[in-house]
Amino acid sequence: MKFTPAPLAGVVLVEPAVFTDARGFFLETWRQREFAANGIQADFVQDNHSRSVRWTLRGLHFQIEHAQGKLVRVSQGAVFDAVVDLRRSSPTFGRWWAVELSEQNHRMLWVPPGLAHGVLVVSASADLLYKCTDVYSPMHERTL
């Protein structure tokens, strides 16, 4: 796996090694030891899967308590994935950054707790899968 720091503090673009042959492909999406060696300490407690149609905008979501770190990937389709740093103590507070995640590029995005996160579906539809470090708390959810 290749781990590339994004312009926002703590955000990391993860590009897994993809092994392809006539049958299709194989890739690892999570290996705790390798992620930890690259600065991502995460204890995931919830997995989510959403499907949306073209031009659906989901987000920008965050939780004021029970802030969630997220490892996000797209298994079908493509999204414009954006994050905004809401951590007042962060050197990149108030800044945003975005990247395309798709079934073709197999990229994953690590979004640490304290950032707002959202996607815009740019394909006919998209399936978004993400692992979370804390549970969903509707009473603490906010959107930009």
Side-chain angles (χ1 to χ4, degrees):
M1 283 191 198
K2 180 180 174 186
F3 295 80
T4 306
L8 299 183
V11 177
V12 179
L13 184 64
V14 182
E15 297 174 85
V18 181
F19 303 94
T20 60
D21 62 24
R23 301 168 294 175
F25 71 87
F26 172 85
L27 62 95
E28 286 184 356
T29 60
W30 171 249
R31 185 186 293 198
Q32 185 178 24
R33 204 173 299 163
E34 188 167 355
F35 276 71
N38 285 278
I40 300 171
Q41 298 285 345
D43 186 15
F44 295 115
V45 299
Q46 180 176 322
D47 279 5
N48 299 324
H49 182 163
S50 71
R51 176 175 291 152
S52 303
V53 297
R54 186 185 316 267
W55 305 130
T56 296
L57 175 63
R58 291 194 181 265
L60 295 157
H61 299 285
F62 64 99
Q63 293 184 178
I64 57 172
E65 291 182 33
H66 303 283
Q68 295 176 308
K70 298 175 182 175
L71 181 61
V72 184
R73 69 185 187 94
V74 171
S75 64
Q76 178 271 318
V79 302
F80 179 80
D81 194 307
V83 291
V84 178
D85 192 345
L86 301 177
R87 302 165 297 178
R88 291 192 187 277
S89 62
S90 172
T92 55
F93 172 71
R95 291 179 47 200
W96 71 278
W97 182 73
V99 65
E100 182 179 87
L101 303 180
S102 74
E103 67 182 294
Q104 284 81 28
N105 66 30
H106 302 286
R107 293 174 175 164
M108 297 181 285
L109 186 63
W110 166 246
V111 182
L115 280 80
H117 174 256
V119 298
L120 174 66
V121 177
V122 296
S123 55
S125 67
D127 281 17
L128 188 73
L129 304 164
Y130 52 106
K131 303 174 103 33
C132 301
T133 60
D134 207 338
V135 296
Y136 174 64
S137 178
M139 68 186 306
H140 297 110
E141 183 178 18
R142 302 292 186 271
T143 22
L144 294 181

